[in-house]
Amino acid sequence: MTWFEHNFWTMVLATASIVGSVIALIHLLLRHHDYRSAAFWTALVVFTPLIGPLLYLLLGINILRRSGRRYRSGINEPWRDPVPEQPLPISSTDSWAMQEHQQLARTLDRISRFSYTLGNHLEILHNGDEAMPRMLEAIRGARQSITLASYIFEATGIGADFVTELSLAVKRGVQVRVMVDDAGTRYSRPPVVEALTQAGVTARRFMPSRMLLRLITMNLRNHRKILVVDGHTAFTGGMNIREGNMVARKPPHPVHDLHFQVTGPCVAQIQRVFTEDWAFCTNETLDGPLWFPDLTATGSTSAIGIVDGPDEDMEVMPAAFFAALNAAREEVKIITPYFLPNAVLIAALRLCAVRGVEVIILTPAENNIPFVGWAARTLYPDLLSMGCRIFESAPPFDHSKLFLIDGVWSFLGSTNWDPRSLRLNFEFNLACHDPELCRRLAAEMDTKLAQSREITHEMLENAPVLHRLRNGFARLFIPAL
């Protein structure tokens, strides 16, 4: 290489680095609203020229809000129904408690673009051992339509059973639509979308990263788990379709989890979420009685769907969580596999404890993403100092997600308490008002707590110095985790 060529390419790289840094900093100053995350990205852009702007382009910019508005505007979305004065059918001798519950219900009704539904029934399913056979049974019984969305869907093991049953449903004349997140298809070989297509099932990847421009959205994943059969029966929660969930089969890497079978009027909201995402992937509109039949009451649970994602639903879930924490008067119980809440939710948890609310948080002792577990432990001291109680569950890894308030409110679905879930991923939760359901879920948590260890200040202070340094280093990356 000649002297001229060497200097030419040096100048090109230097110019690209300067221009990229300036553009990234301008975008940060004008568009990035989370000051902590903005500070992290600013430091990365300034101190790692060229690499920093590239990482910000790939991981830090959200380009989906406008496109989300566009594709959903064409499917007659009920954006805001009037919020009734009394959204919940609550009758209580405690007028103060009744008023508090109605206020939270009205708040969630305003936060969500759905409205409260009455008369639902939810059944708790433990691990893949209970959930997967029940889901396969529902698919076998389908007569009109099946919609299925999953973050991870393996083509082998229990996933192969799903491929077979979905294919048989198509042969029976059932309309079947399957959507799998592109990143989630890479957890097994062969990719399940190819296996489904070969079996005659209409299947699509969500936001496939094939073209260069798709790299910009590589970090925005569809984390929702939805199965709706004949528009009447739904399954949702946090469970992926993979062999590791079949704990009784003793897989190499077992995963504990909870999933839910849902019937009643809120199934239409779950179906709605799938059809919106399907329209985004394929431009096909799923509507009419085939997908949305008339639904009647099947139980006593009041429920509302809460949709969150890096589009026009940006940060809806953190707002709902904050509203629930603010409304708590007696107890807050959280199970999450990844505990990295933002500063606002940490402050809300601390204030709950200050007000005398019992706050219990359960998270795995050995995380399947160790870096996340290391960073999470740096958040413990501030919470412990205010009276929050933190427990770590022993292996195998627990992927369950629950958020319980005052023995009556239950939040369940796909959302983790981490930046990726609360800001980057497409998520779906149900917020349920039902004392009996909450009692059963609290019993599930009590069982897990009995097999866990409580974390204390002394344990954290006596940890080896190298572990504390490692954890402190991991904390620097919380905005990107």
Side-chain angles (χ1 to χ4, degrees):
M1 181 180 293
T2 66
W3 178 89
F4 173 80
E5 290 174 329
H6 179 271
N7 282 274
F8 172 77
W9 288 112
T10 300
M11 289 295 295
V12 168
L13 287 175
T15 302
S17 177
I18 293 170
V19 172
S21 296
V22 170
I23 293 173
L25 290 171
I26 290 173
H27 190 277
L28 276 164
L29 293 173
L30 295 178
R31 300 290 185 181
H32 218 91
H33 301 299
D34 184 336
Y35 71 91
R36 291 172 183 264
S37 176
F40 166 81
W41 285 112
T42 299
L44 195 65
V45 168
V46 170
F47 293 108
T48 56
L50 198 59
I51 296 175
L54 269 176
L55 288 173
Y56 182 66
L57 172 68
L58 296 177
L59 306 179
I61 296 178
N62 173 15
I63 65 169
L64 292 182
R65 277 189 172 180
R66 184 171 300 173
S67 62
R69 291 192 187 100
R70 184 174 65 250
Y71 83 81
R72 286 181 181 158
S73 65
I75 53 178
N76 301 318
E77 178 183 12
W79 180 250
R80 283 287 183 269
D81 289 339
V83 179
E85 181 62 27
Q86 301 289 322
L88 300 177
I90 300 175
S91 58
S92 172
T93 56
D94 188 341
S95 60
W96 176 255
M98 183 173 66
Q99 181 180 348
E100 289 290 305
H101 294 322
Q102 292 289 1
Q103 182 57 48
L104 177 55
R106 283 193 292 271
T107 302
L108 295 176
D109 210 330
R110 289 184 171 94
I111 289 172
S112 173
R113 49 193 174 83
F114 292 125
S115 297
Y116 264 94
T117 60
L118 312 179
N120 302 288
H121 177 74
L122 281 80
E123 187 171 348
I124 304 169
L125 303 174
H126 304 84
N127 302 324
D129 306 301
E130 288 185 4
M132 300 302 170
R134 190 72 64 87
M135 294 164 74
L136 289 169
E137 179 184 2
I139 291 171
R140 280 191 289 270
R143 292 295 174 263
Q144 297 187 74
S145 65
I146 298 170
T147 54
L148 189 156
S150 186
Y151 174 60
I152 299 174
F153 186 163
E154 293 180 346
T156 57
I158 190 65
D161 296 339
F162 275 83
V163 173
T164 298
E165 293 300 337
L166 291 166
S167 176
L168 291 173
V170 171
K171 292 174 182 176
R172 293 197 307 271
V174 178
Q175 291 292 314
V176 179
R177 303 291 186 274
V178 179
M179 179 177 59
V180 186
D181 185 81
D182 184 65
T185 64
R186 305 175 194 279
Y187 281 76
S188 70
R189 288 289 181 270
V192 72
V193 171
E194 281 76 357
L196 288 164
T197 302
Q198 291 174 6
V201 179
T202 303
R204 295 289 186 275
R205 298 172 186 253
F206 184 89
M207 210 175 294
S209 301
R210 293 194 181 110
M211 298 183 296
L212 181 61
L213 291 178
R214 289 296 188 184
L215 292 175
I216 299 174
T217 60
M218 64 180 289
N219 211 35
L220 307 174
R221 306 319 323 167
N222 194 321
H223 196 239
R224 296 165 183 159
K225 288 88 175 178
I226 290 171
L227 169 63
V228 182
V229 175
D230 289 337
H232 284 278
T233 302
F235 295 83
T236 193
M239 196 177 300
N240 295 297
I241 301 175
R242 61 188 319 189
E243 188 66 15
N245 292 115
M246 309 302 291
V247 178
R249 298 183 183 181
K250 301 187 184 304
H253 303 287
V255 178
H256 284 187
D257 213 333
L258 293 174
H259 216 58
F260 300 88
Q261 182 172 345
V262 187
T263 56
C266 75
V267 171
Q269 297 183 0
I270 301 173
Q271 183 79 300
R272 186 75 183 185
V273 174
F274 177 91
T275 59
E276 290 173 354
D277 290 343
W278 185 256
F280 176 70
C281 284
T282 68
N283 291 320
E284 180 188 13
T285 299
L286 306 179
D287 209 349
L290 180 70
W291 309 98
F292 294 94
D294 293 333
L295 298 171
T296 58
T298 58
S300 58
T301 301
S302 302
I304 184 171
I306 300 179
V307 188
D308 188 76
D311 50 11
E312 81 274 19
D313 295 314
M314 185 78 167
E315 297 184 332
V316 170
M317 207 71 72
F321 284 3
F322 178 82
L325 291 171
N326 188 56
R329 293 296 177 264
E330 298 176 6
E331 64 179 16
V332 170
K333 294 183 175 181
I334 298 169
I335 304 178
T336 180
Y338 312 112
F339 183 69
L340 295 172
N342 59 31
V344 172
L345 291 179
I346 289 177
L349 288 166
R350 285 161 54 92
L351 285 173
C352 280
V354 169
R355 296 200 315 268
V357 176
E358 182 182 33
V359 178
I360 299 178
I361 301 159
L362 177 61
T363 193
E366 295 182 13
N367 207 290
N368 69 331
I369 307 176
F371 207 75
V372 172
W374 301 339
R377 288 194 178 126
T378 66
L379 306 181
Y380 291 178
D382 285 346
L383 293 166
L384 293 175
S385 65
M386 291 298 173
C388 299
R389 300 177 68 189
I390 300 174
F391 293 78
E392 290 186 342
S393 58
F397 179 66
D398 195 335
H399 193 249
S400 306
K401 314 167 203 302
L402 286 179
F403 176 29
L404 311 178
I405 298 288
D406 289 349
V408 292
W409 289 98
S410 310
F411 291 74
L412 49 97
S414 61
T415 303
N416 300 310
W417 286 63
D418 65 1
R420 185 175 300 277
S421 225
L422 296 172
R423 188 171 177 84
L424 295 176
N425 287 344
F426 294 85
E427 305 281 5
F428 177 74
N429 275 34
L430 284 176
C432 304
H433 183 277
D434 182 349
E436 175 58 24
L437 173 63
C438 197
R439 184 194 65 77
R440 287 186 281 131
L441 292 173
E444 297 286 340
M445 184 167 182
D446 289 341
T447 300
K448 294 176 183 293
L449 288 172
Q451 303 167 4
S452 305
R453 66 169 183 171
E454 185 166 6
I455 304 300
T456 64
H457 277 293
E458 292 72 25
M459 293 170 62
L460 297 175
E461 291 170 355
N462 294 332
V465 174
L466 288 178
H467 286 189
R468 283 183 280 158
L469 286 172
R470 174 200 66 190
N471 297 349
F473 176 74
R475 179 176 183 157
L476 300 176
F477 296 88
I478 286 179
L481 294 178

